[in-house]
Amino acid sequence: LSIANLINELGCKVTVIPSFSSIEEIKKYKFDMLLLSNGPGNPEMATNAINIAKEFIGKMPITGICLGHQIISIALGGKAYKLKYGHRGSNHPVKYMATNKVFISTQNHGYAIDYKSLPKDVEVTHINLHDQTVEGIRVLKDKIYCVQYHPEASPGPEDSHNILNDFISLIG
């Protein structure tokens, strides 16, 4: 299932807009939350999306997956770097730091965020157990929560679907 379908099934109305939308266009919608989705490529090249994320930080809840996570991290001041081989497939163990629970995730990206570049108020919530890369971040004061892995995929018994409820809980 797509991320939009899963969030819709959880009771939220989802509006998909193109990545080239302007800040002014997005403001017209009066969204309750901004979700930046996955996609290909170098996140630092996604300058429009980075600017959009910067504009809405602290003004509405923001969440994202994969490329969206990287864009949000960059908008917060983090730096991306290219992985030697990338993370591909449905066998990546991810640890949720708050509970130390480990689950298997699906991933498809060639970049990661340097945890040392993130500002002090950014909490690293998830790490990849293969290489210790950042798999999730949260900024409570700004209602930001995003993950590197694909929660809409099903590598196990819907191991990571619960993160979508956490995303939705930012609205309020």
Side-chain angles (χ1 to χ4, degrees), residues 79-154:
K79 303 288 183 216
Y81 65 94
K82 187 164 179 53
L83 294 164
K84 186 172 183 177
Y85 299 108
H87 294 165
R88 315 272 183 231
S90 59
N91 60 349
H92 290 265
V94 170
K95 180 172 149 181
Y96 179 45
M97 303 302 286
T99 64
N100 287 323
K101 180 181 177 187
V102 175
F103 58 91
I104 301 302
S105 69
T106 296
Q107 305 204 15
N108 187 22
H109 57 272
Y111 290 83
I113 297 299
D114 177 6
Y115 75 92
K116 292 178 185 175
S117 70
L118 292 167
K120 298 287 184 223
D121 64 340
V122 176
E123 174 192 2
V124 174
T125 58
H126 298 76
I127 59 167
N128 186 303
L129 293 181
H130 284 313
D131 59 9
Q132 306 303 300
T133 52
V134 175
E135 289 287 342
I137 63 164
R138 177 172 39 215
V139 182
L140 290 175
K141 71 177 177 60
D142 292 323
K143 295 187 174 186
I144 294 172
Y145 195 9
C146 55
V147 294
Q148 179 65 68
Y149 58 89
H150 289 260
E152 79 280 13
S154 296

Side-chain angles (χ1 to χ4, degrees), residues 11-31:
C12 296
K13 179 183 175 195
V14 177
T15 302
V16 178
I17 59 171
S19 63
F20 55 80
S21 298
S22 71
I23 290 169
E24 293 74 29
E25 289 174 290
I26 295 169
K27 284 181 178 179
K28 289 179 188 176
Y29 284 100
K30 299 183 186 331
F31 292 126

